[in-house]
Amino acid sequence: MKKTYNEVLKRIKKIIFSRLWPGFFRFRFALYDDERVCIDGNIFPKDDRFLGNTAIKYNDEFLAIWDMKNSFIEDADILASKLVHEMFHAFQHLNGEERWANELAGLNYRYEPRNLSIKIQENRLLKSLHERFDWDEYLRFFALRKLREKHYPQEIDYEARVEVIEGMANFVEFLALKQLDRMKYFNVIEKLKARVVDVCNLIPVRHMCYDVGALLLLVCDENGIPFKQGIGETEKTVYEILSEDLEIGEAEVDEEPAVQKLIRHHERKNVNLIKEFISEKECRVRGKFRVYGFDPMNAVRHGDYLYSKHFIAYINDDDEIKFIKQENVSKLDEHFNILEIYY
């Protein structure tokens, strides 16, 4: 692990952070596995603060962390760029970023044919705009999103906030990779564009927001459209910033059969996943507990049940934070309190 750490550090030191985002700078980082943590080339035992790939408060500073057991990346350039992504989250926290998505509210996202049929059209336009920019098509992108905002305001708010937090972080990740290896950057962007126009990737929407948010910023960055506000200086999302002064017309699209099929498949898959899990596992926690945290990238909700692939955290009756660090299913009430946990 120490060798990998030093290889990644060598690459991160080459990156000019001020070119990625105004005021952005290098943070310390850690690599870890189930037992060990490496910071500054020093190895010590892992503790509960190290969970997932993110930025954490470590003593008196924010620290970017990467799980080398569950998210192993062999390519040092790619791993360095991923850590720049997590450093940007540290930068967001440090500067008082407030545009975070409500992940519990995100569990209520309406995967309806009209919503997703319009969204896939937006994505196709973004891909086309990156390949050949056209102002009328740029306006149509926002016309389609305004149409969705009219009928699905909570969904658009959720998407726009994930695009701020994760889309921006993806954007700086890609630009960091571009500084390290241009060919790897171009390969990554081609794969991103293929993902955003694949109907099968519309669900779950949070995954898609990482790519769409980054691609929108790449389109703007490459065509001289300003968007780089100081982190912590505005409550407006990137979508609001970019669209507020545009003259946007009306738009409409037909529902797509492929989208309808995807939604039906998604619903059947979730029902079967949760049914089978509950039938095979015991209910080990009962009560009424407030959800403290979960991994929204690896969670599925159907009806009253929430499947979490990696962990769920809740606050017990003694105001203690309890973690279940394994695959589980929770039964929730209408206020997202946990009533039962199966694992």
Side-chain angles (χ1 to χ4, degrees), residues 24 37 55 83 98 108 189 193 341:
F24 188 30
V37 176
L83 279 158
E98 296 182 348
N108 284 329
I189 299 305
K193 290 191 291 186
I341 307 179

Side-chain angles (χ1 to χ4, degrees), residues 133-225:
F133 186 81
D134 179 270
W135 184 253
D136 289 336
E137 294 292 272
Y138 181 74
L139 292 178
R140 177 161 171 77
F141 169 84
F142 286 103
L144 290 172
R145 185 161 283 202
K146 287 291 183 183
L147 175 63
R148 285 204 299 134
E149 186 176 27
K150 178 180 177 181
H151 298 284
Y152 300 94
Q154 287 81 22
E155 284 70 18
I156 289 295
D157 181 70
Y158 177 76
E159 288 180 39
R161 290 177 181 276
V162 177
E163 288 171 1
V164 164
I165 302 302
E166 299 296 351
M168 281 185 182
N170 258 13
F171 171 74
V172 300
E173 170 191 329
F174 299 148
L175 293 190
L177 180 59
K178 190 176 185 179
Q179 290 188 30
L180 294 173
D181 190 307
R182 292 179 68 85
M183 284 308 300
K184 289 177 184 176
Y185 163 79
F186 290 124
N187 289 335
V188 164
I189 299 305
E190 287 305 307
K191 289 177 181 177
L192 179 153
K193 290 191 291 186
R195 287 195 302 270
V196 300
V197 295
D198 186 341
V199 170
C200 294
N201 293 329
L202 287 170
I203 302 175
V205 73
R206 194 179 196 277
H207 293 212
M208 182 62 80
C209 291
Y210 282 56
D211 287 342
V212 168
L215 188 55
L216 177 58
L217 296 186
L218 287 169
V219 167
C220 293
D221 192 50
E222 293 171 12
N223 291 281
I225 300 171

Side-chain angles (χ1 to χ4, degrees), residues 67-120:
D67 184 346
M68 295 296 287
K69 171 71 182 301
N70 295 307
S71 305
F72 178 76
I73 296 174
E74 185 173 3
D75 188 307
D77 291 328
I78 299 292
L79 181 53
S81 71
K82 296 291 183 185
L83 279 158
V84 171
H85 176 121
E86 306 308 341
M87 289 178 189
F88 195 75
H89 290 324
F91 182 64
Q92 289 168 321
H93 283 296
L94 185 66
N95 285 279
E97 176 65 85
E98 296 182 348
R99 294 169 291 179
W100 305 89
N102 182 335
E103 297 298 348
L104 286 174
L107 295 174
N108 284 329
Y109 189 97
R110 289 179 290 169
Y111 292 108
E112 295 181 359
R114 188 181 189 194
N115 180 23
L116 297 190
S117 293
I118 302 169
K119 182 165 182 59
I120 195 63

Side-chain angles (χ1 to χ4, degrees), residues 22 95-99 228-236:
N95 285 279
E97 176 65 85
E98 296 182 348
R99 294 169 291 179
K228 290 184 179 178
Q229 301 277 345
I231 303 299
E233 296 178 5
T234 180
E235 295 181 1
K236 293 180 180 179

